[in-house]
Amino acid sequence: MTKLGGTGVLLLVLICSSRGLNLTRDFDVDESDAKRLVPELIQHHGYPVQVHHVATEDGYVLEMHRIPGEPGSPVVFLMHGLLCSSADWIIIGPKHGLAYLLAQKGFDVWLGNARGNRYSRRHKTLTPNMFAFWQFSWHEIGYYDLPAMIDYVLDLTGQGKLQYVGHSQGTTSFFVMTSTRPEYNEKVHLMQALAPVAFTSHMRSPLLRVLSVFQETLTILFETFGIDEFKPNNSILHDIARLFCSGSITSNLCLNVLFQLAGADPDQVELKIIPLLVGHTPAGASTKQIVHYAQGVRTAQFRRYDFGKIKNTFIYGMPEPPEYNLTEVRTPVVFHYGLNDYLADPEDVLQLGRALPNLIEHRQVQHNTFNHLDFLFAKDVRELLYGDIIQRILTWKVL
Ligand SMILES: *[C@@H]1O[C@H](CO)[C@@H](O)[C@H](O)[C@H]1NC(C)=O
Ligand SMILES: *[C@@H]1O[C@H](CO)[C@@H](O)[C@H](O)[C@H]1NC(C)=O
Ligand SMILES: *[C@@H]1O[C@H](CO)[C@@H](O)[C@H](O)[C@H]1NC(C)=O
């Protein structure tokens, strides 16, 4: 199996990082947190943690992490974005991380991990060094992984419904699930979408725009060379991060690269977090997940994976991939979006909002330069966003 290196570095930066200037806020983290796995990290901070394994219909074995509440406490399910993992919700520590804040409020907190990331690399018959293991995009994450995890959690807790919070691809996969398996609408009280992504034609991030132009060539290259897993060499990533992101002169360079990709927000950057991000991301994905997004940048549609006309006809019965039917998404949805988000551009978010029949709120985070990664790592994310998320969950309970 071939690894994809250089582009991976850019994408690491693109999806899962971006911090830097002002060191005033105390995130309560130390560099050793970069090396800990999520369960160990949660335990290290003094919280109870459980690890659960969930099988999907098509044979993948997913690892979920849980910060359990009292028996019978309401469930909140958190789903990460592209190249990320359950770590997203805890990296900034117990005073700020959304998973901890929810646990402090008495919720039963479940963190999902999509197939192919570092926690979900098992399958009943396949192994990650096989090409067949990586033949999925975020379609399969929405169609198989989310339903399997949701059913598991509801069965185990004996509850009928849960609260869903997703970031980026964690929203894309939710819309895939509820449009292709509408019965799952009934299993979610409220879906809060952070940086919602479905339509991508206004995406400003230069990297995905470039990818979208060369997408067909790239797909052929990936297939020819069997580049199926998107997993850059971690020690190389560390070296590059060290090169660009330490020292007083070079740190500006580091930030500029990050800002080009995710949107510039120097106010909300926390340098302390960078080593943790490099330790926890990229957490693994298939190249098809990235290609699927690049297809949407070009076509301006939210539709199934494009395999090319011949294979499409074989798989879908038509030469073009079918669109996802967003009219089927009946779960009440709240959007939280940022004006300076290069990946969930406000125009694309608006277009998605118009397509959803049950969007109850379209909320802009009140910080003009809020970017794609600020939803997870901004210094003031608790004050700017998490308080509102929790308040919506709490008030939903009494409705
Ligand atoms: C850092 O932020 C604090 C408040 O958030 C502000 O008072 C301080 O001036 C900032 N420092 C720098 C160097 O920007
Ligand atoms: C990853 O990098 C390390 C050190 O830079 C090297 O020893 C190792 O062989 C590399 N692995 C792959 C798969 O390229
Ligand atoms: C989309 O779903 C709605 C609601 O079930 C249905 O009325 C409509 O016909 C569907 N559209 C397509 C193109 O299948």
Side-chain angles (χ1 to χ4, degrees), residues 25-77:
R25 193 74 79 248
D26 176 20
F27 265 154
D28 216 12
V29 296
D30 56 74
E31 201 157 337
S32 66
D33 285 356
K35 298 210 162 60
R36 297 192 164 94
L37 292 173
V38 166
E40 201 193 333
L41 188 52
I42 294 175
Q43 203 168 29
H44 174 72
H45 284 289
Y47 283 74
V49 62
Q50 294 176 3
V51 175
H52 292 261
H53 292 102
V54 181
T56 69
E57 261 173 59
D58 60 342
Y60 289 84
V61 180
L62 312 175
E63 180 168 313
M64 298 192 73
H65 300 134
R66 178 192 196 187
I67 308 179
E70 294 296 314
S73 47
V75 172
V76 184
F77 178 89

Side-chain angles (χ1 to χ4, degrees), residues 249-310:
I249 302 160
T250 46
S251 66
N252 272 343
L253 176 58
C254 165
L255 285 177
N256 284 334
V257 172
L258 298 169
F259 289 161
Q260 267 303 304
L261 294 164
D265 189 10
D267 288 357
Q268 289 296 321
V269 152
E270 172 62 272
L271 267 183
K272 244 167 128 181
I273 291 295
I274 290 189
L276 269 79
L277 289 177
V278 176
H280 287 275
T281 53
S286 74
T287 51
K288 278 204 163 69
Q289 279 166 257
I290 293 152
V291 170
H292 200 171
Y293 277 127
Q295 291 176 350
V297 176
R298 197 169 41 90
T299 63
Q301 287 180 313
F302 180 46
R303 60 182 197 178
R304 301 269 306 260
Y305 190 87
D306 188 351
F307 293 95
K309 287 189 168 45
I310 295 169

Side-chain angles (χ1 to χ4, degrees), residues 21-25 267 379-380:
L21 298 171
N22 193 324
L23 294 170
T24 53
R25 193 74 79 248
D267 288 357
K379 275 194 294 191
D380 296 319

Side-chain angles (χ1 to χ4, degrees), residues 17 36 39 47 55 64 69 89 108 117 122 132 136 219 223 228 286 312-313 330-331 348 385 391 395:
S17 48
R36 297 192 164 94
Y47 283 74
M64 298 192 73
W89 310 104
D108 186 3
N117 89 5
R122 265 178 286 167
F136 61 84
T219 310
E223 291 191 353
D228 41 17
S286 74
N312 286 344
T313 308
R330 292 186 306 270
T331 306
D348 289 331
L385 177 65
Q391 186 235 328
T395 51

Side-chain angles (χ1 to χ4, degrees), residues 3 233-236 239:
K3 309 279 186 207
N233 189 326
N234 262 320
S235 47
I236 292 175
D239 291 346

Side-chain angles (χ1 to χ4, degrees), residues 77-124:
F77 178 89
L78 306 180
M79 191 61 193
H80 65 81
L82 181 64
L83 292 171
C84 299
S85 73
S86 52
D88 289 10
W89 310 104
I90 58 161
I91 277 186
I92 60 178
K95 289 187 195 150
H96 299 268
L98 182 59
Y100 294 115
L101 299 177
L102 288 163
Q104 289 155 20
K105 290 280 177 196
F107 291 104
D108 186 3
V109 183
W110 288 80
L111 314 175
N113 280 302
R115 61 184 59 196
N117 89 5
R118 67 191 296 191
Y119 299 103
S120 295
R121 296 168 62 83
R122 265 178 286 167
H123 187 281
K124 283 178 183 157

